[in-house]
Amino acid sequence: MLKQRAVKGVMWSAIQRFSSQGVQFVLGLILARLLSPSDYGLIGMLAIFLAISDTFIDSGFSTALVQKKDCDELDYSTSFYFSGAVGFLFYALLFLFAPLIAGFYDEPQLVQLTRVLGLTLIVNSLAIVQRAKFTINIDFKSQTKAAVSAIVISGGVGIYLAYAGFGVWALVVQNLLRRSLDLIILWCISKWMPRHGFSFQRFKDLFSFGSKLLLSGLLDTFFKNIFTIVIGKVFSAQSLGFFTRAKQFSEFPSSNITTIIQRVTFPVLSVVQNDDFRLREGYRKIIRMAALVVFPLMMGLAALAKPLVITILTAKWSETVWMLQIMCFAMMWYPIHAINLNVINVKGRSDLFLRLEVIKKVITIIMLVITIPIGIKAMLIGQIATSLLALIINTYYTKRIINYGFWQQMKDIGPVLLLSLVMGAFVYLTTGITSSKLWQLSIGSFSGLLLYGGIAWGFNIGNVRLIKDIIPKN
């Protein structure tokens, strides 16, 4: 039964992520052709303020609700009132400090942009419990309906506004409308409403777990967005626009696949959190599966970055190419990081989670101090080094908890990594066959898939043949 729920959950989680993110990605490409890199740079300047506010709004409560085995209506109601209150509070703070944000970047139009886009904080705060309940039930089908419907409608409105010449405001309206529609649909589908008041005792119980995730989440959010602060402040809105687009391309395959895996495996493996052997074997399969899919995608994306960007976004975005290529080598490790951290959460060790985040962020600061004076390229290369160092630190604690450390993991995913690098180099060479960017994409994608799939299946690299065993027979 648990396996069936997991497989069904993976299927619907994948459908939700790739349908919602895929549609949003395509609509974003259309908008990028109509708007300028500077428009995206302006929105990018606000990303860290919105992300930090969202982290406070969640405060680790969504994870705490999923992790808690005896969660009831009083827990849900308490979380709802807390998140809603924090959402209104942080919108008020953004509204008041909007002039300071605009002054920091020396971009006067950020005042109004901040005050309007900040409304998404209130909207997000009212959907925390609904999403947690769907996740607990491994019900991603309902979330798929809400997400895709909201994205399609808001995307259409955004494209119309961009075509009509509204510039950066097309992005603002699209974002706010998408969040609002998603909220309305989730409430209609879930039919959940708070049935109790706020309980200080339940708040203390949830916050004792969530507070550590809040602190680690704040660190993670700040450092995930620190590049946008530095590039926006030290360089220009246009450079930040190129960076945000490269980041979006590099994160699309890696982050989405990782999210699919995490959302399903966290509630499923929480059931066996006290059985270290089953937990370790479960995570071994998860890491191999993640590497088997993500590594070749990232190497193929790096190899085909130039024809992809020029074909889809036009030559005005060409500065994005080299940024994307470097970022692919850093982002390919993201799922391995996330899966290792997931082990810590499943075991309820949010204290170790926080300690890890502090250590890794110190490394990030040191790397930035070294690379900022050199330029954006050095900063991005530093990301690769930081990612590898962070992986060593993450796996140290995984070994302590379930005896699955760095070298054991490298042994499991090493063959997949080597094959992916060879495939990427081969695909990059194929781009020299023709000057047509469209043909470069077609030939490179087909040859890379054929080479990687053929060798992986022929030699059973990464236990690829086990995939057929997890596919439902009926």
Side-chain angles (χ1 to χ4, degrees), residues 299-313:
M299 291 302 93
L301 182 58
L304 296 173
K306 185 174 182 178
L308 180 67
V309 170
I310 300 301
T311 300
I312 295 178
L313 300 180

Side-chain angles (χ1 to χ4, degrees), residues 199-206:
S199 168
F200 283 99
Q201 183 57 51
R202 296 302 178 89
F203 172 78
K204 287 172 61 179
D205 293 341
L206 293 168

Side-chain angles (χ1 to χ4, degrees), residues 19 83-84 99-100 152 203 205 212 273 290 294 366 380 442 452 455:
S19 59
S83 299
L100 294 179
V152 170
F203 172 78
D205 293 341
K212 301 177 185 68
Q273 60 184 273
V294 174
I366 295 172
L380 297 182
S442 301
Y452 180 82
I455 295 178

Side-chain angles (χ1 to χ4, degrees), residues 80-335:
F80 174 80
Y81 288 121
F82 171 76
S83 299
V86 176
F88 278 94
L89 172 63
F90 272 85
Y91 173 69
L93 291 174
L94 273 187
F95 190 94
L96 291 173
F97 289 109
L100 294 179
I101 295 172
F104 175 78
Y105 288 114
D106 195 24
E107 291 284 355
Q109 58 186 315
L110 284 179
V111 175
Q112 293 303 318
L113 290 175
T114 302
R115 288 173 172 172
V116 177
L117 192 58
L119 290 168
T120 58
L121 299 180
I122 297 175
V123 176
N124 290 344
S125 70
L126 301 177
I128 296 292
V129 173
Q130 278 82 358
R131 292 195 178 96
K133 286 179 68 66
F134 284 132
T135 300
I136 291 170
N137 296 323
I138 317 181
D139 178 10
F140 300 108
K141 182 178 181 179
S142 298
Q143 295 183 66
T144 301
K145 295 176 181 178
V148 174
S149 300
I151 288 169
V152 170
I153 296 172
S154 63
V157 172
I159 291 172
Y160 170 77
L161 293 175
Y163 185 78
F166 283 85
V168 67
W169 285 102
L171 296 174
V172 174
V173 173
Q174 181 209 16
N175 201 315
L176 182 56
L177 182 60
R178 176 173 64 86
R179 301 296 180 94
S180 300
L181 290 172
D182 189 50
L183 171 69
I184 293 170
I185 299 171
L186 282 176
W187 272 70
C188 291
I189 295 175
S190 71
K191 296 181 175 59
W192 180 87
M193 294 187 69
R195 296 179 176 84
H196 299 281
F198 182 88
S199 168
F200 283 99
Q201 183 57 51
R202 296 302 178 89
F203 172 78
K204 287 172 61 179
D205 293 341
L206 293 168
F207 196 68
S208 65
F209 180 86
S211 59
K212 301 177 185 68
L213 294 181
L214 168 61
L215 292 175
S216 58
L218 286 173
L219 285 171
D220 187 55
T221 299
F222 177 78
F223 283 93
K224 273 184 177 179
N225 291 276
I226 195 170
F227 280 82
T228 64
I229 297 178
V230 173
I231 296 173
K233 177 65 177 176
V234 178
F235 299 97
S236 66
Q238 185 179 54
S239 295
L240 182 55
F242 291 132
F243 170 79
T244 54
R245 182 54 54 182
K247 183 181 179 183
Q248 183 184 35
F249 269 110
S250 66
E251 289 181 346
F252 182 75
S254 184
S255 294
N256 280 302
I257 292 172
T258 302
T259 300
I260 292 167
I261 294 171
Q262 278 189 302
R263 291 171 71 187
V264 176
T265 57
F266 182 71
V268 170
L269 292 179
S270 288
V271 176
V272 294
Q273 60 184 273
N274 296 321
D275 187 336
D276 287 349
F277 176 78
R278 291 180 65 189
L279 197 59
R280 180 174 60 253
E281 292 306 304
Y283 272 105
R284 286 190 68 192
K285 293 177 182 178
I286 293 166
I287 282 180
R288 285 198 296 259
M289 179 174 65
L292 193 67
V293 177
V294 174
F295 283 6
L297 283 176
M298 299 310 292
M299 291 302 93
L301 182 58
L304 296 173
K306 185 174 182 178
L308 180 67
V309 170
I310 300 301
T311 300
I312 295 178
L313 300 180
T314 72
K316 70 180 179 181
W317 290 91
S318 59
E319 194 72 8
T320 297
V321 173
W322 63 266
M323 294 186 184
L324 173 58
Q325 290 172 328
I326 296 173
M327 292 170 73
C328 282
F329 283 88
M331 283 303 299
M332 69 185 291
W333 296 103
Y334 178 74

